[in-house]
Short mmCIF file of all heavy atoms in Angstrom, two decimals:
data_model
loop_
_atom_site.label_atom_id
_atom_site.label_comp_id
_atom_site.label_asym_id
_atom_site.label_seq_id
_atom_site.Cartn_x
_atom_site.Cartn_y
_atom_site.Cartn_z
N THR A 1 0.84 -1.19 0.00
CA THR A 1 0.00 0.00 0.00
C THR A 1 0.88 1.24 0.00
O THR A 1 1.92 1.27 0.66
CB THR A 1 -0.93 0.03 1.23
OG1 THR A 1 -1.81 -1.09 1.20
CG2 THR A 1 -1.75 1.31 1.26
N ILE A 2 0.44 2.26 -0.72
CA ILE A 2 1.10 3.56 -0.69
C ILE A 2 0.03 4.62 -0.51
O ILE A 2 -1.02 4.58 -1.16
CB ILE A 2 1.95 3.79 -1.96
CG1 ILE A 2 2.72 5.11 -1.87
CG2 ILE A 2 1.09 3.74 -3.22
CD1 ILE A 2 3.79 5.25 -2.94
N THR A 3 0.27 5.57 0.38
CA THR A 3 -0.71 6.60 0.67
C THR A 3 -0.80 7.59 -0.49
O THR A 3 0.04 7.61 -1.39
CB THR A 3 -0.38 7.34 1.97
OG1 THR A 3 0.97 7.81 1.92
CG2 THR A 3 -0.55 6.41 3.16
N ALA A 4 -1.84 8.42 -0.45
CA ALA A 4 -2.13 9.31 -1.56
C ALA A 4 -0.96 10.21 -1.94
O ALA A 4 -0.71 10.45 -3.12
CB ALA A 4 -3.37 10.16 -1.24
N THR A 5 -0.24 10.69 -0.93
CA THR A 5 0.90 11.57 -1.19
C THR A 5 2.18 10.82 -1.48
O THR A 5 3.18 11.43 -1.86
CB THR A 5 1.14 12.50 0.00
OG1 THR A 5 1.51 11.72 1.14
CG2 THR A 5 -0.10 13.32 0.33
N GLY A 6 2.18 9.52 -1.28
CA GLY A 6 3.38 8.73 -1.45
C GLY A 6 4.29 8.72 -0.25
O GLY A 6 5.39 8.17 -0.32
N GLY A 7 3.85 9.31 0.86
CA GLY A 7 4.71 9.46 2.02
C GLY A 7 4.82 8.25 2.92
O GLY A 7 5.71 8.22 3.78
N LYS A 8 3.94 7.31 2.77
CA LYS A 8 3.94 6.13 3.63
C LYS A 8 3.66 4.90 2.79
O LYS A 8 2.76 4.90 1.96
CB LYS A 8 2.89 6.27 4.73
CG LYS A 8 2.88 5.14 5.74
CD LYS A 8 1.85 5.41 6.83
CE LYS A 8 1.82 4.29 7.85
NZ LYS A 8 0.79 4.53 8.90
N ARG A 9 4.46 3.85 3.03
CA ARG A 9 4.32 2.60 2.32
C ARG A 9 4.30 1.45 3.31
O ARG A 9 4.99 1.48 4.33
CB ARG A 9 5.47 2.39 1.33
CG ARG A 9 5.68 3.55 0.37
CD ARG A 9 6.90 3.32 -0.48
NE ARG A 9 7.27 4.51 -1.22
CZ ARG A 9 8.23 4.58 -2.11
NH1 ARG A 9 8.94 3.49 -2.41
NH2 ARG A 9 8.50 5.72 -2.74
N ASN A 10 3.53 0.43 2.99
CA ASN A 10 3.47 -0.78 3.81
C ASN A 10 3.50 -2.00 2.92
O ASN A 10 2.96 -1.98 1.81
CB ASN A 10 2.21 -0.80 4.68
CG ASN A 10 2.26 0.20 5.81
OD1 ASN A 10 3.01 0.03 6.75
ND2 ASN A 10 1.46 1.26 5.70
N TYR A 11 4.13 -3.07 3.42
CA TYR A 11 4.28 -4.30 2.68
C TYR A 11 3.97 -5.50 3.56
O TYR A 11 4.24 -5.49 4.76
CB TYR A 11 5.71 -4.47 2.16
CG TYR A 11 6.21 -3.35 1.29
CD1 TYR A 11 6.88 -2.26 1.83
CD2 TYR A 11 6.03 -3.39 -0.09
CE1 TYR A 11 7.34 -1.24 1.03
CE2 TYR A 11 6.50 -2.38 -0.90
CZ TYR A 11 7.15 -1.30 -0.33
OH TYR A 11 7.62 -0.30 -1.14
N VAL A 12 3.43 -6.53 2.94
CA VAL A 12 3.31 -7.79 3.65
C VAL A 12 4.72 -8.34 3.88
O VAL A 12 5.63 -8.12 3.07
CB VAL A 12 2.44 -8.78 2.85
CG1 VAL A 12 3.11 -9.19 1.55
CG2 VAL A 12 2.06 -9.98 3.69
N ASP A 13 4.92 -9.02 5.02
CA ASP A 13 6.26 -9.45 5.40
C ASP A 13 6.96 -10.28 4.32
O ASP A 13 8.17 -10.18 4.14
CB ASP A 13 6.21 -10.26 6.69
CG ASP A 13 5.98 -9.40 7.92
OD1 ASP A 13 6.13 -8.17 7.82
OD2 ASP A 13 5.66 -9.97 8.98
N SER A 14 6.22 -11.09 3.60
CA SER A 14 6.81 -12.00 2.65
C SER A 14 7.47 -11.31 1.46
O SER A 14 8.26 -11.94 0.75
CB SER A 14 5.77 -13.00 2.15
OG SER A 14 4.70 -12.34 1.50
N VAL A 15 7.18 -10.03 1.23
CA VAL A 15 7.77 -9.33 0.09
C VAL A 15 8.70 -8.20 0.50
O VAL A 15 9.31 -7.57 -0.38
CB VAL A 15 6.69 -8.79 -0.87
CG1 VAL A 15 5.70 -9.88 -1.24
CG2 VAL A 15 5.98 -7.57 -0.28
N LYS A 16 8.84 -7.94 1.78
CA LYS A 16 9.71 -6.86 2.24
C LYS A 16 11.15 -7.09 1.77
O LYS A 16 11.68 -8.19 1.89
CB LYS A 16 9.66 -6.74 3.76
CG LYS A 16 8.37 -6.15 4.28
CD LYS A 16 8.39 -6.04 5.81
CE LYS A 16 7.10 -5.42 6.31
NZ LYS A 16 7.06 -5.37 7.79
N GLY A 17 11.75 -6.04 1.25
CA GLY A 17 13.10 -6.13 0.73
C GLY A 17 13.18 -6.60 -0.70
O GLY A 17 14.25 -6.53 -1.31
N ARG A 18 12.07 -7.07 -1.26
CA ARG A 18 12.04 -7.55 -2.64
C ARG A 18 11.15 -6.70 -3.54
O ARG A 18 11.47 -6.50 -4.71
CB ARG A 18 11.57 -9.00 -2.70
CG ARG A 18 12.45 -9.97 -1.92
CD ARG A 18 12.07 -11.41 -2.20
NE ARG A 18 10.70 -11.71 -1.78
CZ ARG A 18 9.74 -12.14 -2.60
NH1 ARG A 18 10.00 -12.32 -3.90
NH2 ARG A 18 8.53 -12.41 -2.14
N PHE A 19 10.03 -6.22 -3.00
CA PHE A 19 9.06 -5.46 -3.78
C PHE A 19 9.09 -3.99 -3.35
O PHE A 19 9.31 -3.68 -2.18
CB PHE A 19 7.64 -5.98 -3.56
CG PHE A 19 7.34 -7.33 -4.15
CD1 PHE A 19 8.34 -8.16 -4.64
CD2 PHE A 19 6.03 -7.78 -4.20
CE1 PHE A 19 8.05 -9.40 -5.17
CE2 PHE A 19 5.73 -9.02 -4.72
CZ PHE A 19 6.73 -9.83 -5.21
N THR A 20 8.83 -3.11 -4.30
CA THR A 20 8.71 -1.68 -4.02
C THR A 20 7.47 -1.13 -4.71
O THR A 20 7.29 -1.33 -5.92
CB THR A 20 9.94 -0.91 -4.50
OG1 THR A 20 11.12 -1.43 -3.88
CG2 THR A 20 9.81 0.57 -4.15
N ILE A 21 6.61 -0.46 -3.96
CA ILE A 21 5.46 0.22 -4.54
C ILE A 21 5.80 1.71 -4.66
O ILE A 21 6.38 2.29 -3.75
CB ILE A 21 4.18 -0.02 -3.71
CG1 ILE A 21 2.96 0.58 -4.41
CG2 ILE A 21 4.32 0.53 -2.30
CD1 ILE A 21 1.64 0.19 -3.76
N TYR A 22 5.44 2.30 -5.78
CA TYR A 22 5.63 3.73 -5.94
C TYR A 22 4.58 4.27 -6.90
O TYR A 22 3.94 3.51 -7.63
CB TYR A 22 7.05 4.09 -6.41
CG TYR A 22 7.47 3.53 -7.75
CD1 TYR A 22 7.45 4.32 -8.88
CD2 TYR A 22 7.93 2.22 -7.86
CE1 TYR A 22 7.86 3.82 -10.10
CE2 TYR A 22 8.34 1.71 -9.08
CZ TYR A 22 8.30 2.51 -10.19
OH TYR A 22 8.72 2.02 -11.41
N ARG A 23 4.38 5.57 -6.88
CA ARG A 23 3.33 6.17 -7.70
C ARG A 23 3.82 7.45 -8.35
O ARG A 23 4.74 8.11 -7.86
CB ARG A 23 2.08 6.45 -6.85
CG ARG A 23 2.27 7.49 -5.76
CD ARG A 23 1.09 7.49 -4.78
NE ARG A 23 -0.15 7.91 -5.42
CZ ARG A 23 -1.36 7.66 -4.94
NH1 ARG A 23 -1.49 6.96 -3.80
NH2 ARG A 23 -2.44 8.09 -5.58
N ASP A 24 3.18 7.78 -9.45
CA ASP A 24 3.44 9.02 -10.17
C ASP A 24 2.10 9.72 -10.32
O ASP A 24 1.31 9.39 -11.21
CB ASP A 24 4.07 8.74 -11.53
CG ASP A 24 4.46 10.00 -12.27
OD1 ASP A 24 3.98 11.09 -11.92
OD2 ASP A 24 5.27 9.90 -13.22
N ASN A 25 1.83 10.67 -9.44
CA ASN A 25 0.52 11.32 -9.45
C ASN A 25 0.31 12.20 -10.67
O ASN A 25 -0.83 12.47 -11.05
CB ASN A 25 0.33 12.13 -8.17
CG ASN A 25 0.02 11.26 -6.96
OD1 ASN A 25 -0.06 10.03 -7.07
ND2 ASN A 25 -0.14 11.88 -5.80
N ALA A 26 1.39 12.66 -11.28
CA ALA A 26 1.27 13.44 -12.50
C ALA A 26 0.78 12.60 -13.67
O ALA A 26 0.18 13.13 -14.61
CB ALA A 26 2.60 14.11 -12.84
N GLU A 27 1.05 11.30 -13.62
CA GLU A 27 0.65 10.39 -14.68
C GLU A 27 -0.50 9.48 -14.28
O GLU A 27 -0.94 8.65 -15.09
CB GLU A 27 1.84 9.53 -15.11
CG GLU A 27 3.00 10.34 -15.69
CD GLU A 27 2.69 10.89 -17.06
OE1 GLU A 27 1.78 10.35 -17.74
OE2 GLU A 27 3.34 11.87 -17.47
N ASP A 28 -1.00 9.61 -13.06
CA ASP A 28 -2.09 8.77 -12.55
C ASP A 28 -1.76 7.29 -12.67
O ASP A 28 -2.57 6.48 -13.15
CB ASP A 28 -3.41 9.08 -13.27
CG ASP A 28 -3.96 10.46 -12.96
OD1 ASP A 28 -3.39 11.15 -12.08
OD2 ASP A 28 -4.96 10.85 -13.58
N ARG A 29 -0.57 6.93 -12.22
CA ARG A 29 -0.12 5.56 -12.30
C ARG A 29 0.54 5.12 -11.00
O ARG A 29 1.19 5.92 -10.32
CB ARG A 29 0.87 5.37 -13.45
CG ARG A 29 0.26 5.62 -14.82
CD ARG A 29 1.29 5.49 -15.93
NE ARG A 29 1.68 4.13 -16.19
CZ ARG A 29 1.08 3.31 -17.06
NH1 ARG A 29 0.02 3.73 -17.75
NH2 ARG A 29 1.53 2.08 -17.24
N VAL A 30 0.36 3.86 -10.67
CA VAL A 30 1.03 3.24 -9.54
C VAL A 30 1.74 1.99 -10.04
O VAL A 30 1.24 1.31 -10.94
CB VAL A 30 0.06 2.93 -8.39
CG1 VAL A 30 -1.01 1.93 -8.82
CG2 VAL A 30 0.81 2.44 -7.16
#
């Protein structure tokens, strides 16, 4: 999960260190 501003991210334990969530609000993409 990533918050609307991108300031906070959370991951399920099984993917921590392997997966990264990020967003580009100018392009409306996550």
Side-chain angles (χ1 to χ4, degrees):
T1 298
I2 184 167
T3 53
T5 64
K8 185 177 180 181
R9 307 175 191 185
N10 288 289
Y11 302 91
V12 67
D13 285 346
S14 61
V15 309
K16 287 181 179 177
R18 300 190 297 121
F19 290 11
T20 302
I21 186 171
Y22 62 100
R23 65 193 294 161
D24 185 343
N25 285 359
E27 298 288 339
D28 292 354
R29 295 177 73 89
V30 62

